[in-house]
C-alpha cells in the first residue's frame, strides 16, 4: 500500500462528487425517491429534463430515424435489389461477441422472411481481424453476390478494393473509428464516419455494431412494408423486438456506454432475455449454471466470455451459430463446446498474464506512461483480456503483443480520457504498424518486431501527454452502513439498472468495518465478511485479488483485526428462491 494516507490499497484516491443540492431536492420531490437515489442520479448527469427517459427508458422515444445515418438508404436499396433479383447474400462478421450478435441478427431476420443467408467468420489465428482478400475471393467463387459485413471493414481498403474489382458488392455495418478515406463499397453505415454530421455521431456514435445492424433492420423492414413486399411474398413481418436480447448482449460485452439509445436497447433486451426465447442463449445459460434472472452481469461475465471463447481459442463461428440455432441437440452441443473452450481460454490466459506481469516487473515498465509487453507464441485469443488485466492492475493503458516469428498481433486497453483507437491510426500512418484501429478504450494492431521499440516510444510520447495529469481515482456514490442495506433500499436502487459502461453499478464505501473471516475461492478470489461496529454483517468478494495490492491489504487487515473502510458494489443474488446480498470489493483503505 502506498504511504500516502489519502491513497487506497490500489493507489487510488477516492472521490465523492458533490451534487447540486437544489437539483437533488427537485428530483426527490418530483419522483418521490430517497435522497441517496437522487444523489446517484445527479452523479450520473441526470437532470429534470432527462430523468424520465433514464428512469423509464422507452425505445419508442429513444429510437432515431435510421435514415439519419449516411448510406443507410443505399444499404436498404441494395439489399432489396438482392431480394428482388434472388441474389446470394453472405454475412461476414467479426469473431467477438459483437460480431457474433450482429451476424446472428441478420441471419435471424432473413430466416424469418424465408431468405436464409450464409455465414462467414474469419479464423482469428489464420486470417486475423476483419476483411481479408482470400476470403472475399472464395465467397465470390462460391456464388456470393452481396456481402453484409458487420463489426469490421471500415478501414479494410485493399481487400474491399479487390471485392469491387471482382464485382462483389459489400455493405458494411460498423462502429469503429474511421479515416477520412473510405473503402470502395456499396454502402458503409457507421455513425463514426468522419463525414457523418456531428449531431448524429453524438447521438449514435456509442452504438456497437449490433446496434447499428438493428437500425438497418428497422429501416429495411419499413422499406419492405412500404413496397408491399411482405404481402406480395406471403411473408409475416418479423417482430423486431424479439431480437433485442442479441443487441443487449453485444452492447454490454463490447463495453458500450449504457446511456441514451443503448440504455433502451439493454433495458428492453433484458426483458426479452428473461423470456428465454433464443434457444442458443437459453441452453448456454443452462450449461453455465445460471439459475436466476439474468442481468448485465450475466451478459458481460457469464454468457459473453463463453461466446467469445470460440473466436479466441476454438472455431470462430461457434458463437454466431449458437445464437441462430433452432435445433435443441445442436444448441446443446455448441454450448458445451463453448463452455469447454472458455475453460481452456482461462488456462491460457492465466499463463500469459503471469509472464506479462513478470515482464512488467523485470523491466520496470511501470516507470512509463503506457505498458507494452510481448511474448513469442502468446495466444492472440487472450492478449486483449491480458491487456485489460494489466490496465486494471497498474492503472494505465496497456498493450500486449503475441509474436509468431517476426510478426506480432497486438491488443490494447485504455483508461478513461485516453483514446487508443486514434493512436493506432496515427501509428499506421507513421509506418510503425502494419495495421491498426479500434475505439477509445480498446484497439487491435499488427506490428513487425523491427518496429516494436519505435512503436513503444511512440505510445509513450503520443499518449504520455494525455496522461500527464492523469491520477487514478475511485469514484464513490456515497457512504452506507451495513445495516442500511434493507430490502426496501435495494428495491429502489434497482430503478437505476441496467448497469454497465457509462452507468456504472453504484459504488458505496463502508466505514469503519472489520474483516470477520477471509479465505480463498478458486485460484485467486478472496471471500470475506465485513462487520460494522453495531454487529451488522455483510458477505463480500474481492475477485482476482489474491497476491495483489488489494488482496495483501485485506489479508493484513484481517490478521491485525483493525478497522478499515472498503468500497464496492452491491449485488443481490437469487438462488433457488433465496436472496443474498454480497459486496463486490473494488478497493480498501485505512479508516
Amino acid at each position: 500500500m502506498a504511504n500516502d494516507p489519502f491513497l487506497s490499497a490500489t493507489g487510488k484516491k477516492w472521490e465523492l462528487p458533490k451534487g447540486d443540492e437544489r437539483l437533488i431536492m427537485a428530483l426527490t420531490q418530483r419522483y418521490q425517491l430517497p435522497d441517496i437515489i437522487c444523489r446517484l442520479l445527479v452523479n450520473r448527469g441526470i437532470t429534470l429534463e432527462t430523468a424520465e427517459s433514464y428512469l423509464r427508458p422507452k425505445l419508442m422515444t429513444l429510437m432515431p430515424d435510421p435514415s439519419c445515418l449516411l448510406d443507410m438508404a443505399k444499404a436498404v436499396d441494395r439489399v432489396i435489389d438482392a431480394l428482388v433479383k434472388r441474389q446470394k447474400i453472405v454475412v461476414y462478421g467479426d469473431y467477438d461477441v459483437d460480431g457474433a450478435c450482429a451476424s446472428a441478427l441478420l441471419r435471424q431476420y432473413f430466416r424469418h422472411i424465408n431468405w436464409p443467408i450464409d455465414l462467414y467468420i474469419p479464423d482469428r489465428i489464420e486470417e486475423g481481424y476483419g476483411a481479408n482478400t482470400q476470403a472475399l475471393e472464395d465467397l465470390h467463387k462460391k456464388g456470393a453476390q452481396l456481402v453484409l459485413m458487420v463489426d469490421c471493414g471500415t478501414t479494410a481498403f485493399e481487400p474491399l478494393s479487390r471485392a469491387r474489382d471482382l464485382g462483389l458488392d459489400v455493405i458494411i455495418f460498423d462502429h469503429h473509428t474511421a479515416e477520412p478515406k473510405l473503402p470502395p463499397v456499396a454502402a458503409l453505415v457507421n455513425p463514426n464516419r468522419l463525414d457523418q454530421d456531428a449531431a448524429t455521431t453524438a447521438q449514435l456514435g456509442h452504438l456497437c455494431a449490433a446496434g447499428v445492424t438493428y437500425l438497418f433492420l428497422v429501416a429495411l423492414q419499413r422499406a419492405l412494408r412500404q413496397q408491399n413486399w411482405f404481402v406480395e411474398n406471403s411473408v409475416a413481418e418479423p417482430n423486431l423486438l424479439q431480437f433485442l436480447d442479441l443487441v443487449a448482449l453485444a452492447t454490454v460485452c463490447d463495453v458500450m456506454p449504457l446511456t441514451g439509445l443503448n440504455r433502451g436497447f439493454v433495458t428492453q433486451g433484458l426483458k426479452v432475455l428473461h423470456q428465454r426465447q433464443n434457444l442458443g442463449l437459453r441452453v448456454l445459460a443452462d450449461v453455465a449454471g445460471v439459475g436466476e434472472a439474468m442481468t448485465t452481469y450475466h451478459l458481460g461475465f457469464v454468457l459473453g466470455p463463453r461466446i467469445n471463447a470460440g473466436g479466441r481459442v476454438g472455431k470462430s463461428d461457434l458463437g454466431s451459430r449458437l445464437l441462430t440455432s433452432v435445433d435443441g441437440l445442436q444448441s446443446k452441443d455448441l454450448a458445451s463446446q463453448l463452455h469447454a473452450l472458455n475453460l481452456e481460454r482461462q488456462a491460457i490466459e492465466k499463463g500469459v498474464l503471469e509472464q506479462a506481469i513478470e515482464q512488467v516487473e523485470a523491466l520496470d515498465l511501470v516507470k512509463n506512461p503506457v505498458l507494452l509487453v510481448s511474448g513469442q507464441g502468446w495466444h492472440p485469443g487472450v492478449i486483449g483480456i491480458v491487456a485489460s488485466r494489466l490496465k486494471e492492475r497498474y492503472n494505465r493503458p496497456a498493450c500486449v503483443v503475441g509474436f509468431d516469428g517476426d510478426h506480432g498481433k497486438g491488443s490494447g486497453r485504455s483508461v478513461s480520457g485516453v483514446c487508443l483507437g486514434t493512436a493506432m491510426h496515427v501509428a499506421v500512418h507513421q509506418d510503425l504498424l502494419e495495421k491498426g484501429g479500434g475505439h477509445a478504450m480498446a484497439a487491435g494492431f499488427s506490428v513487425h518486431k523491427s518496429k516494436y521499440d519505435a512503436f513503444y516510444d511512440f505510445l509513450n510520447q503520443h499518449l504520455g501527454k494525455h496522461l500527464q495529469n492523469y491520477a487514478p481515482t475511485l469514484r464513490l456514490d456515497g457512504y452506507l452502513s451495513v445495516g442500511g442495506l434493507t430490502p426496501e433500499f435495494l428495491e429502489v436502487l434497482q430503478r437505476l439498472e441496467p448497469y454497465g459502461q457509462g452507468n456504472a453499478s453504484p459504488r458505496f464505501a463502508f466505514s469503519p468495518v472489520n474483516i470477520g473471516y477471509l479465505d480463498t475461492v478458486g485460484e485467486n478470489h478472496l471471500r470475506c465478511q465485513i462487520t460494522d461496529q453495531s454487529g451488522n454483517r455483510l458477505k463480500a468478494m474481492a475477485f482476482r485479488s489474491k497476491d495483489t495490492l488489494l488482496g495483501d491489504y485485506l489479508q493484513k487487515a484481517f490478521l491485525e483485526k483493525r478497522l478499515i473502510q472498503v468500497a464496492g458494489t452491491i449485488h443481490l443474488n437469487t438462488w433457488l428462491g433465496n436472496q443474498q446480498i454480497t459486496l463486490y470489493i473494488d478497493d480498501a483503505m485505512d479508516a
Side-chain angles (χ1 to χ4, degrees):
M1 179 180 173
N3 293 325
D4 189 334
F6 297 104
L7 294 181
S8 69
T10 62
K12 297 185 179 73
K13 187 172 183 178
W14 292 7
E15 287 187 347
L16 182 61
K18 183 175 175 58
D20 182 333
E21 295 296 333
R22 294 178 62 183
L23 178 56
I24 292 169
M25 183 178 296
L27 288 168
T28 302
Q29 293 173 347
R30 177 176 293 186
Y31 292 98
Q32 299 298 301
L33 293 170
D35 175 85
I36 192 168
I37 298 299
C38 292
R39 291 184 183 277
L40 290 170
L41 293 175
V42 173
N43 289 351
R44 284 155 173 70
I46 305 303
T47 65
L48 283 173
E49 292 72 28
T50 61
E52 182 67 24
S53 65
Y54 178 88
L55 292 169
R56 305 182 184 96
K58 298 178 181 178
L59 276 180
M60 185 179 297
T61 56
L62 292 170
M63 278 287 289
D65 183 340
S67 62
C68 69
L69 288 168
L70 292 174
D71 279 7
M72 183 64 83
K74 290 182 180 179
V76 169
D77 289 345
R78 180 63 186 89
V79 169
I80 292 178
D81 183 59
L83 294 176
V84 171
K85 295 177 179 177
R86 308 191 68 81
Q87 294 180 334
K88 183 177 180 179
I89 303 173
V90 178
V91 59
Y92 186 120
D94 188 23
Y95 37 64
D96 70 356
V97 177
D98 190 16
C101 289
S103 58
L105 266 174
L106 290 170
R107 296 185 73 217
Q108 289 265 33
Y109 184 86
F110 279 87
R111 184 171 63 205
H112 274 75
I113 65 171
N114 298 327
W115 199 277
I117 60 177
D118 290 342
L119 171 70
Y120 187 84
I121 307 286
D123 182 88
R124 189 183 208 120
I125 307 299
E126 299 297 326
E127 300 173 85
Y129 168 78
N132 73 83
T133 301
Q134 185 61 55
L136 291 171
E137 289 178 345
D138 290 345
L139 291 175
H140 178 256
K141 288 178 183 177
K142 293 176 181 178
Q145 294 163 287
L146 176 62
V147 171
L148 306 180
M149 189 168 287
V150 292
D151 200 28
C152 58
T154 295
T155 57
F157 301 105
E158 185 177 330
L160 294 174
S161 294
R162 175 59 179 158
R164 177 200 56 191
D165 294 342
L166 291 170
L168 177 61
D169 280 348
V170 177
I171 297 174
I172 294 172
F173 303 106
D174 197 10
H175 68 128
H176 291 97
T177 305
E179 297 185 14
K181 178 185 176 183
L182 296 175
V185 291
L188 197 162
V189 183
N190 182 339
N192 293 304
R193 283 176 52 159
L194 298 183
D195 55 346
Q196 181 72 60
D197 65 283
T200 299
T201 297
Q203 180 188 14
L204 304 177
H206 295 307
L207 294 181
C208 64
V212 175
T213 302
Y214 187 83
L215 290 185
F216 163 71
L217 292 179
V218 172
L220 177 63
Q221 179 138 311
R222 180 177 62 186
L224 291 174
R225 184 187 310 121
Q226 290 171 348
Q227 296 184 23
N228 214 32
W229 188 89
F230 294 107
V231 173
E232 292 177 357
N233 289 274
S234 301
V235 172
E237 288 191 29
N239 176 10
L240 289 174
L241 292 178
Q242 69 184 307
F243 305 132
L244 283 173
D245 50 1
L246 297 176
V247 181
L249 176 62
T251 300
V252 171
C253 292
D254 225 38
V255 201
M256 296 292 103
L258 297 193
T259 56
L261 181 56
N262 279 342
R263 183 168 172 80
F265 278 154
V266 176
T267 299
Q268 298 303 319
L270 284 171
K271 293 178 182 178
V272 176
L273 192 65
H274 295 163
Q275 298 169 9
R276 292 166 62 90
Q277 294 179 352
N278 185 295
L279 176 61
L281 285 177
R282 182 168 75 240
V283 172
L284 186 62
D286 292 341
V287 169
V290 179
E292 57 190 310
M294 282 191 277
T295 66
T296 52
Y297 170 80
H298 298 94
L299 297 182
F301 295 98
V302 180
L303 300 183
R306 286 166 173 79
I307 292 172
N308 251 336
R312 292 189 184 281
V313 297
K315 199 169 185 298
S316 295
D317 64 356
L318 289 179
S320 186
R321 286 170 54 203
L322 174 69
L323 296 175
T324 55
S325 176
V326 293
D327 180 283
L329 290 176
Q330 181 194 53
S331 294
K332 189 166 185 179
D333 178 59
L334 291 170
S336 298
Q337 287 186 59
L338 288 169
H339 183 72
L341 288 169
N342 190 52
L343 294 175
E344 180 182 340
R345 185 272 306 168
Q346 290 173 336
I348 296 171
E349 174 198 329
K350 181 176 180 289
V352 174
L353 179 60
E354 289 174 351
Q355 295 177 56
I357 292 173
E358 289 176 4
Q359 192 172 137
V360 170
E361 303 294 343
L363 300 178
D364 192 24
L365 299 181
V366 290
K367 67 180 183 294
N368 299 317
V370 181
L371 299 178
L372 178 65
V373 295
S374 64
Q376 192 67 228
W378 282 1
H379 198 295
V382 303
I383 55 177
I385 305 174
V386 172
S388 182
R389 300 281 184 260
L390 294 178
K391 182 202 78 169
E392 294 169 2
R393 185 183 183 98
Y394 296 104
N395 298 318
R396 67 198 65 206
C399 294
V400 179
V401 179
F403 276 105
D404 179 7
D406 289 337
H407 294 276
K409 293 180 180 178
S411 186
R413 298 293 183 270
S414 192
V415 296
S416 180
V418 180
C419 183
L420 205 53
T422 300
M424 296 303 161
H425 285 304
V426 175
V428 169
H429 285 296
Q430 293 189 11
D431 197 31
L432 296 172
L433 296 178
E434 295 169 346
K435 59 181 180 179
H439 43 80
M441 301 299 286
F445 57 93
S446 298
V447 61
H448 192 274
K449 187 168 287 187
S450 63
K451 301 289 183 71
Y452 180 83
D453 291 336
F455 174 59
Y456 195 15
D457 290 340
F458 162 81
L459 286 178
N460 283 315
Q461 292 173 12
H462 185 82
L463 298 181
K465 57 189 176 185
H466 299 291
L467 290 160
Q468 288 178 351
N469 299 317
Y470 174 75
T473 59
L474 188 76
R475 186 182 176 93
L476 301 179
D477 285 295
Y479 278 80
L480 286 180
S481 65
V482 175
L485 294 177
T486 63
E488 294 77 16
F489 172 74
L490 293 171
E491 183 179 344
V492 176
L493 192 63
Q494 289 178 327
R495 297 279 300 275
L496 277 64
E497 295 181 356
Y499 299 130
Q501 180 73 16
N503 187 51
S505 297
R507 182 181 289 115
F508 298 106
F510 296 82
S511 175
V513 295
N514 285 113
I515 302 291
Y517 73 83
L518 188 144
D519 61 8
T520 302
V521 178
E523 290 190 357
N524 58 0
H525 308 310
L526 294 181
R527 175 176 58 188
C528 62
Q529 178 178 270
I530 64 172
T531 307
D532 66 15
Q533 292 183 298
S534 298
N536 297 301
R537 299 174 179 177
L538 177 63
K539 291 187 176 182
M541 289 286 299
F543 292 102
R544 298 189 302 273
S545 63
K546 188 176 182 181
D547 298 325
T548 67
L549 292 174
L550 175 59
D552 293 345
Y553 178 86
L554 293 175
Q555 291 272 11
K556 187 175 181 181
F558 168 64
L559 293 173
E560 295 177 355
K561 301 185 184 303
R562 57 188 171 90
L563 291 173
I564 62 172
Q565 49 186 330
V566 297
T569 56
I570 303 297
H571 295 261
L572 184 62
N573 302 311
T574 303
W575 181 255
L576 299 177
N578 298 316
Q579 290 188 329
Q580 178 178 289
I581 302 170
T582 305
L583 172 68
Y584 291 0
I585 298 176
D586 295 320
D587 208 351
M589 66 189 304
D590 295 341

